[in-house]
Amino acid sequence: MLPTENRLRRREDFATAVRRGRRAGRPTLVVHLRSDATDPHTPGESVPPTRAGFVVSKAVGKAVVRNVVKRRLRHLMRERLALLPPGSLVVVRALPGSGDVGHAQLAQDLDAALRRLLGGGTR
């Protein structure tokens, strides 16, 4: 489970990450990253924490499958939050094939997408 301060909840924040961020696609997911975002809802001059949100549509599968995919992605993202710049907004969108693959494949695709977005990988 992601800590509360690292959860992306507002529709505007999701839209900002998707529309104004960079995108990296993999066979099972697409990751959107907006790394220079500031949180207008946080008072003060402190650096906002990295926040992540997940989009798992009905195309992935029935409710049980979607919830399993969301839990896996949340767990994987929690371990990778430290790799991202402070104040980043991350949206992970699961593609229809993500319900059929295992935890290891999701982890591999997430790592590859994040590496590409952070400048460590090529196409």
Side-chain angles (χ1 to χ4, degrees), residues 23-44:
R23 178 182 69 208
R26 302 299 302 157
T28 60
L29 51 86
V30 176
V31 179
H32 300 270
L33 174 67
R34 171 108 172 141
S35 58
D36 60 345
T38 59
D39 186 3
H41 309 290
T42 304

Side-chain angles (χ1 to χ4, degrees), residues 25-104:
R26 302 299 302 157
T28 60
L29 51 86
V30 176
V31 179
H32 300 270
L33 174 67
R34 171 108 172 141
S35 58
D36 60 345
T38 59
D39 186 3
H41 309 290
T42 304
E45 296 293 322
S46 65
V47 177
T50 299
R51 294 179 294 149
F54 306 93
V55 179
V56 183
S57 74
K58 288 185 179 182
V60 172
K62 295 191 180 233
V64 173
V65 175
R66 292 194 309 268
N67 285 326
V68 167
V69 170
K70 276 189 275 192
R71 277 195 303 269
R72 286 178 178 171
L73 290 173
R74 275 196 306 259
H75 177 74
L76 291 168
M77 214 41 227
R78 182 184 64 186
E79 297 171 348
R80 290 153 179 83
L81 284 176
L83 303 173
L84 301 169
S88 297
L89 300 178
V90 181
V91 174
V92 180
R93 184 168 45 99
L95 296 177
S98 61
D100 300 328
V101 299
H103 188 79

